Amino acid sequence: MLPIIGKIVEAVLCRLLPAQGRHRAVAPLPAERRVRRLHRGRRRELWLVIHGIDVGPQGLHGTEVVAR
């Protein structure tokens, strides 16, 4: 009976307290991957504009933004 309880407790603890580091059991779905790529592009555009690098007109949050 004790080994069974130990296995159950170990399984619960592994779920509640995962190992340190970046662990992902499954790859993101294609739609999720596309959304992440779009967000990354928007962040990059905003970073470039903030730092004064003109890469052409971009639409950020519905407004056109250009570097000064």
Side-chain angles (χ1 to χ4, degrees):
M1 187 71 169
L2 287 178
I4 294 173
I5 293 173
K7 287 182 181 182
I8 292 172
V9 169
E10 184 180 355
V12 169
L13 286 177
C14 285
R15 293 283 183 188
L16 293 177
L17 305 170
Q20 290 184 353
R22 292 183 69 180
H23 297 280
R24 184 167 179 120
V26 295
L29 300 172
E32 197 177 316
R33 201 175 301 154
R34 185 177 67 74
V35 169
R36 286 183 183 181
R37 187 173 50 237
L38 289 173
H39 287 185
R40 188 170 46 244
R42 289 183 190 140
R43 283 192 305 266
R44 184 181 306 118
E45 288 175 359
L46 183 59
W47 187 90
L48 290 170
V49 169
I50 288 172
H51 289 85
I53 301 169
D54 190 11
V55 292
Q58 299 89 288
L60 294 174
H61 304 292
T63 61
E64 190 168 305
V65 179
V66 290
R68 294 186 211 172

